[in-house]
Amino acid sequence: MKRLFNPFRYIAGAKALILGLIFIAAATLMLYSGSLIQDSYIHIGMAQAPLWYVGAMQIIWWLLPTLLLYLCGIALSKSKIRIIDILGTTAFAQLILLLMIAPMLLPAIMNGMTDILVALQSGVTPTGSTIIPLMIYSIWSIVCLVLFYIWNYNAFAVSCNVNGWKAILSFIGVQIVVTIAGMVL
C-alpha cells in the first residue's frame, strides 16, 4: 500500500523524470488521438487541436504547479532541494492521468459523451445505456483524481523534505492558484 500511495520513496530524480516525460508524451498522444485536451489543471475537454498544442498544454499543466511547489519547498524546507527531484516526482505522478484518460478513449465513453451533449442541446433526456458507462467513468475519474492529488502531495513532501500543516497548506494553496489560473487562461 505504501508503494501505491507514495511511490516517491522508491523513485526520484532523473529516473522518475525520464519515466514521467514518457507518461506525459503518452498522455499527449492519447488525448490527441481522442480529440481531447487538458485545457486546465484538472479538466480534460473535447477539442480539435494540433499535436504540438496538446503536448504544450500537458507540459504547462505539469510545470506550473511543479515550479510553484518548488518555490514553496525552498521557503519551507531546511534541506537542500534538488530541482530534478521535484521535476521527476511530479512528472512521474502524471501516470495517474493516463489511468484517467485511457477509459475516455473507449467507444462507450466517447459515444456517451457525444450522445449526452446532442441530447441536451436538443432538449431530449439521455437514456440509461448512455448514462451508465458515464456514471462508472465518473466514479473512476474521482478515484483517479484523489490519487493524483495524493501522489502530487507526496511528490512535493518527499522531494522537498517537508511535512506538517505548513506543507499541507502550501500544497492546497498551489492547487487553488493553479486551478484558478486554469479558469482564467
Side-chain angles (χ1 to χ4, degrees), residues 8-31:
F8 310 111
R9 296 202 176 275
Y10 310 98
I11 186 167
K15 185 177 179 181
L17 181 58
I18 290 166
L19 288 170
L21 291 174
I22 291 169
F23 300 151
I24 291 169
T28 298
L29 292 173
M30 290 169 70
L31 289 167

Side-chain angles (χ1 to χ4, degrees), residues 138-152:
S138 295
I139 293 166
W140 174 253
S141 291
I142 291 169
V143 169
C144 288
L145 190 59
V146 168
L147 192 56
F148 179 75
Y149 280 121
I150 290 170
W151 274 32
N152 275 287

Side-chain angles (χ1 to χ4, degrees), residues 76 153 156-157 162-172:
L76 296 174
Y153 173 76
F156 166 61
V162 294
N163 59 22
W165 66 272
K166 288 181 181 178
I168 293 169
L169 289 178
S170 295
F171 180 78
I172 292 170

Side-chain angles (χ1 to χ4, degrees), residues 30-174:
M30 290 169 70
L31 289 167
Y32 178 75
S33 71
S35 296
L36 301 167
I37 192 166
Q38 185 176 346
D39 53 9
S40 70
Y41 184 51
I42 56 171
H43 183 263
I44 295 170
M46 297 176 132
Q48 294 285 340
L51 180 59
W52 70 267
Y53 187 78
V54 175
M57 295 302 287
Q58 289 302 107
I59 297 292
I60 287 169
W61 295 118
W62 158 58
L63 277 180
L64 182 60
T66 299
L67 296 176
L68 291 174
L69 289 171
Y70 177 67
L71 294 175
C72 289
I74 289 172
L76 296 174
S77 183
K78 294 176 175 113
S79 303
K80 183 176 187 288
I81 301 167
R82 296 181 338 145
I83 187 112
I84 188 87
D85 289 329
I86 189 81
L87 288 171
T89 54
T90 56
F92 189 87
Q94 301 296 306
L95 173 62
I96 302 301
L97 288 180
L98 291 175
L99 299 175
M100 197 175 345
I101 295 166
M104 292 179 84
L105 302 177
L106 296 172
I109 303 299
M110 289 294 279
N111 294 339
M113 286 190 284
T114 304
D115 292 349
I116 286 180
L117 288 173
V118 169
L120 292 173
Q121 288 175 348
S122 62
V124 177
T125 304
T127 63
S129 63
T130 300
I131 293 175
I132 292 172
L134 291 178
M135 287 175 53
I136 293 168
Y137 175 72
S138 295
I139 293 166
W140 174 253
S141 291
I142 291 169
V143 169
C144 288
L145 190 59
V146 168
L147 192 56
F148 179 75
Y149 280 121
I150 290 170
W151 274 32
N152 275 287
Y153 173 76
N154 286 329
F156 166 61
V158 170
S159 296
C160 296
N161 195 23
V162 294
N163 59 22
W165 66 272
K166 288 181 181 178
I168 293 169
L169 289 178
S170 295
F171 180 78
I172 292 170
V174 166

